[in-house]
Amino acid sequence: MTTNYQTISTSDEVGDIKCPFIRMVQPNTQNLWTFSGDLSANGTGWLMSFLFSFYISVAQLGWWKALTGHAPDIYRLDQVAGVSHSDLFTKYLNGTTDRVIAARDSDGMITLQDLVRIKKWIVEQEGIEKMEQSSKMETGLVFLGAGGDLETQQVPANDVLDLLNATRPSGEIVVNIERMVKCDMKMVWA
């Protein structure tokens, strides 16, 4: 079971989208509702999609534009306080890929805690002393976005790599507020 993964290209517009989930979905940015709808149609709960989209629109464009339905700028997500963080899985994609492959078991699965360990390695590479909550949320989003099972705390390694490479994973994507909270409670960072 070997799949070759290469670092994503950042030379085109799609490569400039730093969030792997947004890069995979490539939501319509015509307005806030189409943007949220595209996220929702691709596995995130509608409420979570809308709240996330609205928050980013307010942060980027101001209250008036968000209230009148302007979609977020997906190429500037790294400039939104409370959402952006420098310790991205995709920033260290080659090392992340190596660690995902090394962590997978004989069934091709990795655990939620494996993703936590990989994230901690990325934080170390960045020289960050205190990890931001948004970085921890990214770990949960990658786990759930790749079809992670909260009961077994396992996810197919290839689906994680697919998501990180902006390819739709084979498993079902179900990301909502309740599952993100449960995922957050299961991750051990100490």
Side-chain angles (χ1 to χ4, degrees), residues 35-188:
F35 185 89
S36 299
D38 283 352
L39 294 181
S40 181
N42 283 279
T44 60
W46 188 89
L47 179 62
M48 182 174 170
S49 297
F50 182 77
L51 292 175
F52 170 78
S53 304
F54 185 77
Y55 175 82
I56 292 173
S57 289
V58 169
Q60 290 179 331
L61 308 169
W63 280 99
W64 179 248
K65 287 193 174 185
L67 288 170
T68 56
H70 287 76
D73 180 345
I74 58 178
Y75 302 102
R76 294 188 314 118
L77 295 175
D78 60 331
Q79 299 170 18
V80 179
V83 172
S84 66
H85 50 98
S86 62
D87 53 336
L88 301 164
F89 281 105
T90 55
K91 190 172 184 180
Y92 294 92
L93 192 56
N94 290 332
T96 296
T97 299
D98 292 345
R99 282 160 179 76
V100 168
I101 290 169
R104 67 183 172 194
D105 66 17
S106 60
D107 294 325
M109 306 294 277
I110 64 169
T111 66
L112 176 58
Q113 209 52 42
D114 289 330
L115 285 174
V116 167
R117 280 189 284 281
I118 293 167
K119 175 58 84 168
K120 289 167 84 173
W121 171 78
I122 293 168
V123 167
E124 186 178 294
Q125 301 309 298
E126 284 290 299
I128 296 171
E129 290 184 32
K130 185 176 188 292
M131 188 185 319
E132 294 186 41
Q133 185 60 33
S134 56
S135 181
K136 294 177 182 180
M137 286 175 58
E138 181 195 29
T139 305
L141 180 61
V142 167
F143 177 78
L144 295 173
D149 182 328
L150 285 170
E151 296 303 315
T152 65
Q153 295 187 38
Q154 293 187 317
V155 62
N158 284 343
D159 284 349
V160 169
L161 295 174
D162 283 345
L163 177 66
L164 293 176
N165 281 279
T167 301
R168 186 165 188 79
S170 64
E172 182 182 8
I173 300 172
V174 181
V175 182
N176 58 38
I177 295 170
E178 178 185 358
R179 289 176 54 81
M180 284 294 289
V181 169
K182 285 181 181 177
C183 190
D184 186 56
M185 290 173 26
K186 291 179 182 281
M187 292 186 280
V188 179

